[in-house]
Amino acid sequence: LYMPEKTKPTRQGLVGLQNLGNSCYLNSALQCLGHTPPLLPFFLEGTYKSELNLQNPLGTGGVLATKFTNILTEIWSSQQIHDNQDTSVIPTVPVDLLKDFKDTVSRKFPQFSGSLQHDAQEFLNFLLDGLHEDLNRILRKPYLETPELQGSDGEVAEASWRLHLARNESVVVDFFQGQFKSTLVCSVCSRRAVIFDPFMFVPLPLPSLFECTIRCYFVPRTSLPKKTPYLLRVTRAGSMADLKKVLLQHLHFPTTINPSFIFSFVRAHRPLEPLPDSTPISEISTIDPLYAFEVDDVQPSSIQLNTPPKISNGPPPGPPGPSGPPPPPRGPGAPPPPASIKGKLPLKSRVVV
């Protein structure tokens, strides 16, 4: 952090910004730029005044840069002396100063007027662009045609950057802009063209956990099923087939035995549809309990569940005798037929969740 010289130990710069009503996006961008080391001396020491471009029609005549400097000065001129154990951050920047800055931004970029919520990165993009135009050292931008550059990548990159600086040169360009390299290859003649384009932001996805832990209950194929919980660590990019392999490692079955499992969620003591081996781990719920039923060698596609069956204590009912009455015809409002399960599932005991 940029720390102006002070004789007393203070926590300079740790100052909160008052929320103006859904203005957290604005406060986030200001705090981000207000703690960017290369920018602070440029604004706080008054260097920006000599680079104000008052004639640029794309800027605000230096108003935005001046208001931005007022915010930074207020943040870094705080004389508060905090106790070492005090971790609070007090919003001491005057509300009127923030409102004045927001009004200036809204006049330049009307989409940020009012009290609606906005994206902080989008606002930061517009704010940096406005500051760049206010501080652009190019007073008269020349008209330039984009030539077809030849040479090595380094030569083309340098020539492209010179063309960019011919119209855009400011402290924002110095610290926040670079070039992307893109290669185009003609599908007909295989001609290769290399282009370098300026950028100010590099969007990156937030890193997600490569692995996750799934709580799974194993129900063996015995007369007295007893569920055993296991915490299975699997990769999020995997599938249910990978979950089966991890479960086998926890069960320590003999190598001569190759058991089969049916994975299913259970709600209110009722198993839901079996999960195919191709089901992605990323789609597995972490709320409902997942069960692994040991079964005979059977494919999940051969198990059909019309409705979630309730696992009862008695044996499955047999077919009706020849002398029994035929089932009554079902009308349009009759309930669906009971679930039919093909395959040998451990249905002799009720699964207690």
Side-chain angles (χ1 to χ4, degrees):
L1 298 179
Y2 171 75
M3 301 293 291
E5 293 183 4
K6 298 293 179 180
T7 56
K8 297 181 180 181
T10 61
R11 297 197 303 176
Q12 290 282 318
L14 295 183
V15 177
L17 300 177
Q18 191 73 32
N19 197 327
L20 303 179
N22 289 331
S23 66
C24 53
Y25 68 94
L26 182 143
N27 295 348
S28 299
L30 286 177
Q31 293 282 18
C32 178
L33 294 181
H35 292 81
T36 302
L39 284 184
L40 298 182
F42 178 82
F43 286 100
L44 295 181
E45 296 176 2
T47 308
Y48 78 98
K49 294 179 181 180
S50 61
E51 299 190 9
L52 287 176
N53 190 334
L54 306 180
Q55 307 300 326
N56 189 355
L58 300 178
T60 64
V63 177
L64 180 61
T66 302
K67 303 295 184 182
F68 176 73
T69 305
N70 294 340
I71 297 291
L72 294 188
T73 303
E74 192 66 31
I75 291 177
W76 287 95
S77 63
S78 172
Q79 298 295 327
Q80 300 179 60
I81 301 178
H82 300 267
D83 183 75
N84 291 334
Q85 297 180 353
D86 182 13
T87 59
S88 62
V89 177
I90 305 174
T92 58
V93 175
V95 176
D96 294 341
L97 201 61
L98 285 172
K99 288 182 178 179
D100 192 20
F101 174 78
K102 188 177 184 302
D103 291 341
T104 302
V105 173
S106 300
R107 285 193 296 268
K108 176 61 179 176
F109 309 111
Q111 62 268 40
F112 296 108
S113 59
S115 58
L116 297 178
Q117 185 67 269
H118 294 279
D119 182 72
Q121 189 265 337
E122 179 185 9
F123 173 78
L124 185 60
N125 189 8
F126 279 95
L127 177 57
L128 285 175
D129 184 68
L131 292 174
H132 159 68
E133 297 297 348
D134 269 5
L135 300 168
N136 198 344
R137 304 182 187 109
I138 307 300
L139 301 182
R140 293 184 179 181
K141 296 185 178 183
Y143 173 77
L144 297 174
E145 294 184 357
T146 303
E148 186 174 348
L149 303 175
Q150 301 291 337
S152 64
D153 287 354
E155 295 172 344
V156 175
E158 185 178 355
S160 300
W161 189 246
R162 285 199 303 265
L163 289 174
H164 179 63
L165 294 182
R167 293 174 54 87
N168 303 277
E169 186 179 357
S170 68
V171 66
V172 176
V173 176
D174 295 341
F175 296 127
F176 292 99
Q177 293 191 6
Q179 292 187 123
F180 277 132
K181 173 189 173 182
S182 58
T183 303
L184 303 177
V185 180
C186 179
S187 59
V188 178
C189 63
S190 300
R191 185 171 178 271
R192 178 177 176 269
V194 177
I195 301 175
F196 288 87
D197 297 311
F199 72 89
M200 189 159 55
F201 286 89
V202 180
L204 297 175
L206 291 176
S208 60
L209 295 176
F210 295 102
E211 293 184 343
C212 62
T213 301
I214 297 179
R215 189 177 184 86
C216 179
Y217 295 91
F218 172 67
V219 181
R221 183 173 51 86
T222 61
S223 58
L224 294 175
K226 181 181 179 181
K227 66 176 184 178
T228 304
Y230 291 94
L231 295 179
L232 307 180
R233 189 74 175 174
V234 292
T235 174
R236 289 184 180 273
S239 63
M240 294 303 299
D242 300 313
L243 190 65
K244 286 185 178 181
K245 296 178 182 178
V246 177
L247 179 59
L248 281 174
Q249 295 175 0
H250 284 74
L251 294 177
H252 303 291
F253 274 99
T255 56
T256 56
I257 299 179
N258 186 20
S260 297
F261 304 108
I262 296 297
F263 286 92
S264 175
F265 289 110
V266 174
R267 294 179 184 172
H269 309 295
R270 295 171 180 263
L272 304 182
E273 291 289 340
L275 299 174
D277 288 350
S278 59
T279 303
I281 295 297
S282 58
E283 298 179 4
I284 299 300
S285 171
T286 57
I287 300 177
D288 299 313
L290 179 65
Y291 279 75
F293 297 97
E294 183 188 5
V295 296
D296 290 337
D297 190 10
V298 60
Q299 298 296 326
S301 58
S302 66
I303 300 179
Q304 301 174 355
L305 300 179
N306 296 327
T307 57
K310 183 176 181 180
I311 301 178
S312 60
N313 292 325
S323 60
R330 296 181 177 273
S340 60
I341 302 180
K342 298 178 181 180
K344 297 180 180 179
L345 285 172
L347 300 179
K348 293 186 178 181
S349 295
R350 177 187 178 92
V351 174
V352 181
V353 181

